[in-house]
Structures are given as C-alpha cells and as structure tokens.
Amino acid sequence: DPGANPHPETMVNLHGLATCFHAPAWAEGVLAIVLLALIWRACLKMAAPDCLALALAAGVLLGMHSYLYDLVLCIPLILVVLNGRGYPYWLKTLAVIFASPIGYLMPSTLPIPAFSLLLFLIVTSVTAVPISGPIAPSRVRQEVGGAAV
C-alpha cells in the first residue's frame, strides 16, 4: 500500500531490500525466517545482554518501517562486539565499518545500510561467542555483609 509505505526504497530493513530488488513477498518472508533461526541459534550460546543487543539490531532489520535513524538501536550490538574478548578481530573491524557514517552518506541506488546491517547481523550471529557454561545457582556468588557466602 503506497499510503502505508510512502518510500520503501529508503527503508533499512528486509522490506526495503525486497522493494529495491523487486523480490516477491515470499522471498522476504523466507529471509526473515532464516534470520530469526540464526539469531535464535546464536542466543542459545550467548549471554543475555549480548542476545538482547542482537535482538534489538534484528528488530530494525525485521521491522516493517525502519529508516536510517532507527539504526541507533544497533549501537548496543556494535559495543558488545567491540568490547567482547571472544570476538575475532575481523568482526570488530566489520563493526567499526558498520558504525562509520561513510556507507550512509554515499549516494547510491542500492540500500547500502540495509545490506551492511544484514551482513553484520548474519556474521555476528554465526560467530556468536558462547557463554562460559551454564550458570548454575551454586556458581552465583551472594554477598552478605561484604563477605562471600
């Protein structure tokens, strides 16, 4: 509907990518399911704050109305990757490239922000850093009066 989506070619989500390449609606749905499966698989291995950051960034890509200013929700994922010790150096470099404004300021007929977000999310979810093991109640330190119990 043109009234609901006035400029889908400027969106930084799967809908914008599908519009740019004149893809059928089912292709957008299949890509969304694949992305959700990757994120679900990654969240099984990641710590909760890292998983939340990944889900926030995925929400931008999977949302129906996501524009350039919505990419601010990707900042937590960028910070998680840059701060994470287990992430490879090349993924941290990709996070810096994704965070830099050069791709968003370049004139292009292709949706560069949506491409870069999709690439960054897929690569981050595939290379998810596993938590150090299940967190059992016996491993949780409780502080009582300054002393560990």
Side-chain angles (χ1 to χ4, degrees), residues 13-32:
N13 56 13
L14 292 180
H15 186 64
L17 283 172
T19 301
C20 179
F21 292 109
H22 308 289
W26 63 266
E28 183 181 344
V30 167
L31 191 55

Side-chain angles (χ1 to χ4, degrees), residues 11 29 57 70:
M11 293 183 187
D70 292 317

Side-chain angles (χ1 to χ4, degrees), residues 10 20 43 53 58-60 62 69 74 78 81 94 98 109 123 132 141:
T10 62
C20 179
C43 284
V60 173
L62 295 171
Y69 49 81
C74 297
I78 293 168
V81 170
L94 188 63
F98 177 68
T109 57
V123 170
S132 59
R141 284 183 52 159

Side-chain angles (χ1 to χ4, degrees), residues 14-145:
L14 292 180
H15 186 64
L17 283 172
T19 301
C20 179
F21 292 109
H22 308 289
W26 63 266
E28 183 181 344
V30 167
L31 191 55
I33 290 170
V34 168
L35 188 63
L36 283 171
L38 280 173
I39 291 169
W40 175 73
R41 184 182 150 270
C43 284
L44 291 176
K45 299 189 305 184
M46 298 171 76
D50 299 354
C51 184
L52 177 64
L54 186 64
L56 277 173
V60 173
L61 192 62
L62 295 171
M64 193 61 175
H65 296 280
S66 299
Y67 293 98
L68 195 59
Y69 49 81
D70 292 317
L71 290 176
V72 72
L73 293 172
C74 297
I75 291 174
L77 181 61
I78 293 168
L79 294 176
V80 161
V81 170
L82 291 176
N83 192 35
R85 294 180 184 199
Y87 289 103
Y89 181 74
W90 61 267
L91 185 60
K92 292 182 179 194
T93 304
L94 188 63
V96 169
I97 291 170
F98 177 68
S100 71
I102 190 81
Y104 310 103
L105 299 177
M106 291 179 7
S108 174
T109 57
L110 295 175
I112 293 174
F115 276 137
S116 60
L117 176 58
L118 180 63
L119 175 69
F120 185 64
L121 279 177
I122 289 172
V123 170
T124 304
S125 62
V126 168
T127 60
V129 175
I131 55 177
S132 59
I135 301 175
S138 61
R139 291 180 49 196
V140 178
R141 284 183 52 159
Q142 296 178 351
E143 302 259 341
V144 178

